[in-house]
Amino acid sequence: MKVGGVPYRAIFTERGGTEVRVIDQTLLPHRFETIRLETAADAARAIRDMVVRGAPLIGATAAYGVALAMRTDPSDASLKQSLALLASTRPTAVNLRWALDAADALLRPLPPGGRADAAYDFAARLCEEDVSRNHSIGRHGLEVFQEIARANESGTSRPGPRAGSKNDINVMTHCNAGWLATVDWGTATAPVYLAHDEGMRIHVWVRETRPRFQGAGLTAWELGQHGIPHTLVSDSAAGHLLSRGKVDLVIVGTDRTTAAGDVANKVGTYPLALAARDNGVPFYVAAPSPSIDWSIEDGANIPIEKRDPEEITRVRGVDEDGVERSVRVTPHGTRAANYAFDVTPRRLVTGLLTERGVCAADQTALRTMFGRPQMPT
Ligand code: MRU
């Protein structure tokens, strides 16, 4: 998508495909800078420190991390070490393991001399597949939007103050499941961008997403760059907006979807789903197939990342002079527990927006749609 009118991807290569660059998301929305990843350790650090984040982008960065390792040292030991290093970065997004397992399966049987080129090709392919998968999710999501817009227009949608709104569609999202969290398009935002480009009047309620503010800092930024009307709200305001008929549907991303349709996503997703259900508002999860963990059925078995408590006890921002600061918002020494994700049970999910279409959040429907686990080629 565009930044200041210039098309960008969240990860890209230069110099014939060998130089890997990412947008430094820790600096957004105050500064836009790209940085070069030169080694597998750089890629691992970028994932761990959330220079890049979002499940699909984590997978793509890991794939390039392996390629960088293979360029320096294509031995078996180096392959094993880089896979282990990258796998240890973040626990919840399954795309990481998916990309690393596929890289391992592809590279291990090759002679060391052929591994670097194969690893770069693999990473590039994985990125292209991500883009086309997200675009397909967008097309299927757009059909859902159009259906809701038609129902709004004909007055068959839920009764409430929503009727007569100047927008065709009001979407609420959580965290950043936008193009910054993928290679391009985003998952939850793909239908939003397509709808906007096709002339629908669309408005997005952006939840700030405490504690790291991916909604306030990233989603608001990328929607703004593309000219999508949006309004930032505190996480706590969602129930109010849902109960007043100001939201037509909720769409969030997923870091891991179980084979039975439970969904782990940024913490706060579960209470949002509960509030949506209580108010009869459809709750969709944009779930590309690499987010499906076919080895787990019950969401309770998904590992939930716990992060530095300072992400809760402090906030970072820019003051009026443009100086970046981190300030404490709690009494000295307050104990804090920083759970980064939660699990939304399938019963609260209206549908999974996948690249193959809208799928019920249940095991049989997922198996019917995907047949067998999807691996990058
Ligand atoms: O901790 P983050 O910023 O990596 O969390 C990101 C999310 O929870 C996204 O919603 C999810 O990865 C889906 S991104 C398309």
Side-chain angles (χ1 to χ4, degrees):
M1 309 306 289
K2 288 186 179 161
V3 179
V6 179
Y8 268 94
R9 285 183 172 187
I11 187 165
F12 55 97
T13 55
E14 289 178 337
R15 295 184 201 282
T18 50
E19 193 172 305
V20 182
R21 299 193 78 85
V22 294
I23 296 169
D24 184 347
Q25 300 191 22
T26 63
L27 303 178
L28 289 173
H30 311 298
R31 269 188 289 156
F32 177 79
E33 281 178 25
T34 66
I35 57 168
R36 183 176 171 191
L37 306 179
E38 296 189 47
T39 63
D42 286 351
R45 208 172 306 114
I47 297 171
R48 186 175 289 116
D49 296 348
M50 293 178 70
V51 168
V52 294
R53 21 71 48 208
L57 183 58
I58 289 171
T61 307
Y64 271 114
V66 176
L68 292 165
M70 293 301 92
R71 190 184 55 184
T72 321
D73 173 4
S75 67
D76 284 357
S78 158
L79 177 60
K80 195 171 163 198
Q81 199 184 8
S82 61
L83 291 168
L85 173 70
L86 290 155
S88 69
T89 49
R90 294 192 71 191
T92 305
V94 77
N95 307 54
L96 177 64
R97 195 186 73 206
W98 169 84
L100 293 176
D101 285 353
D104 190 23
L106 173 78
L107 301 176
R108 197 190 292 262
L110 297 181
R115 284 179 180 161
D117 284 351
Y120 274 102
D121 286 352
F122 168 75
R125 234 174 14 250
L126 185 144
C127 288
E128 290 311 319
E129 283 172 12
D130 179 72
V131 176
S132 77
R133 208 181 282 118
N134 298 337
H135 189 263
S136 298
I137 287 174
R139 301 270 11 139
H140 297 301
L142 181 58
E143 283 168 24
V144 172
F145 285 9
Q146 285 163 340
E147 210 172 295
I148 293 174
R150 276 194 296 274
N152 283 342
E153 206 173 298
S154 66
T156 55
S157 57
R158 302 173 307 121
R162 175 68 191 77
S165 159
K166 66 178 170 42
N167 295 307
D168 294 331
I169 287 282
N170 283 289
V171 182
M172 179 174 277
T173 191
H174 186 58
C175 192
N176 173 258
W179 71 266
L180 287 169
T182 65
V183 179
D184 208 352
W185 285 105
T187 57
T189 55
V192 170
Y193 289 124
L194 285 175
H196 175 78
D197 290 353
E198 294 202 2
M200 273 182 98
R201 287 162 305 180
I202 192 147
H203 167 261
V204 183
W205 293 108
V206 176
R207 283 158 50 102
E208 59 181 350
T209 317
R210 281 282 285 151
R212 283 189 68 105
F213 295 103
Q214 291 96 327
L218 302 177
T219 305
W221 182 80
E222 65 161 85
L223 293 177
Q225 290 290 327
H226 201 78
I228 310 270
H230 60 280
T231 306
L232 180 70
V233 290
S234 69
D235 296 336
S236 341
H240 167 70
L241 292 167
L242 287 158
S243 72
R244 295 292 170 97
K246 300 214 179 276
V247 183
D248 291 303
L249 79 163
V250 177
I251 311 183
V252 298
T254 170
D255 284 82
R256 197 183 292 224
T257 312
T258 70
D262 294 342
V263 171
N265 192 50
K266 181 53 52 193
V267 72
T269 302
Y270 171 44
L272 176 59
L274 284 170
R277 171 58 56 94
D278 194 46
N279 289 285
V281 174
F283 181 91
Y284 285 94
V285 177
S289 57
S291 81
I292 304 168
D293 184 345
W294 297 100
S295 71
I296 293 183
E297 285 177 24
D298 185 350
N301 295 323
I302 297 176
I304 298 295
E305 178 179 17
K306 256 183 108 178
R307 298 182 56 84
D308 187 342
E310 284 210 342
E311 289 182 354
I312 301 185
T313 58
R314 307 186 70 85
V315 290
R316 291 178 57 220
V318 165
D319 70 15
E320 290 309 315
D321 300 320
V323 179
E324 286 175 40
R325 292 188 191 283
S326 162
V327 297
R328 182 166 43 80
V329 291
T330 61
H332 260 305
T334 297
R335 193 165 57 181
N338 185 7
Y339 296 94
F341 297 91
D342 60 22
V343 174
T344 301
R346 52 191 172 270
R347 68 188 155 79
L348 299 177
V349 177
T350 307
L352 300 168
L353 290 177
T354 78
E355 67 270 28
R356 296 199 179 175
V358 183
C359 183
D362 81 45
Q363 188 142 23
T364 312
L366 276 165
R367 278 283 172 201
T368 307
M369 186 162 274
F370 289 101
R372 60 187 176 79
Q374 306 291 298
M375 292 290 273
T377 45

